[in-house]
Amino acid sequence: SIKTRWTRGEFSYLEMWYTHGVNPTNGTYAYVLLPGASTEATKAFADTNAITVLANNNKVQAAKDNRTGVTYITFWEKGSFGGVTVDNPCMVIMQDKESEFKIAVSDPTQKLTSLNVSFSGAYTPVSADEVVKIVPSGSNTVLKINAEGSVGRSVECVFKK
């Protein structure tokens, strides 16, 4: 069952959690946050099947917004998923359009000094954050990110196909 607690003050917030029992084994659940959505808007969103959960395990969580084509990936450890390979835990957001590919990467732990992200496709860079070095590697593109002092902010690159 879902439990909630509302804290009011200078910085009000809502805390929610799912009570899933003691020591669950391989249990999963997924949810979408819809800030400010009315009951009607939430029901309408649920009826659209707008989100596809691509992975939900202890190594990677990923979902795709079917309306926008944006894919969100959380890597809990180094690894590969969906044509993306990372050498450290991080978050990746990407959008693959007909003529353009966008990718944003962040280190929410704020502990990394460097991060390498490789993804399928050899694209022409249009723009990139100043801390990113783009290295073509055969049919892949590698982003070498200087994460030192980034305090978790996202770095973004845009490519032409």
Side-chain angles (χ1 to χ4, degrees), residues 125-134 143 156-159:
V126 173
S127 64
D129 193 287
E130 67 276 357
V131 299
V132 180
K133 180 178 179 185
I134 300 168
L143 307 180
E156 184 176 329
C157 299
V158 179
F159 297 88

Side-chain angles (χ1 to χ4, degrees), residues 3-21:
K3 306 291 183 190
T4 62
R5 177 173 40 234
W6 180 253
T7 303
R8 296 181 191 275
E10 183 179 351
F11 300 103
S12 298
Y13 63 92
L14 172 67
E15 183 179 3
M16 296 178 69
W17 63 94
Y18 180 75
T19 304
H20 47 66

Side-chain angles (χ1 to χ4, degrees), residues 103 115-117 119 132-134 141-145 157 159:
I103 186 166
L115 176 61
N116 295 307
V117 178
F119 55 89
V132 180
K133 180 178 179 185
I134 300 168
T141 301
V142 178
L143 307 180
K144 294 184 175 287
I145 301 167
C157 299
F159 297 88

Side-chain angles (χ1 to χ4, degrees), residues 56-130:
N56 190 11
N57 58 59
N58 61 347
K59 294 182 180 184
V60 64
Q61 290 178 299
K64 183 173 184 174
D65 184 329
N66 299 317
R67 301 162 303 163
T68 63
V70 176
T71 300
Y72 305 86
I73 308 171
T74 299
F75 289 95
W76 296 105
E77 58 187 44
K78 71 178 183 177
S80 298
F81 179 80
V84 178
T85 299
V86 300
D87 68 346
N88 278 290
C90 65
M91 297 181 83
V92 175
I93 300 173
M94 55 191 189
Q95 185 177 37
D96 195 355
K97 293 184 173 182
E98 187 175 315
S99 62
E100 179 181 76
F101 179 80
K102 292 181 182 180
I103 186 166
V105 181
S106 69
D107 164 30
T109 70
Q110 302 181 27
K111 296 177 182 176
L112 299 178
T113 57
S114 66
L115 176 61
N116 295 307
V117 178
S118 173
F119 55 89
S120 302
Y123 305 121
T124 304
V126 173
S127 64
D129 193 287
E130 67 276 357

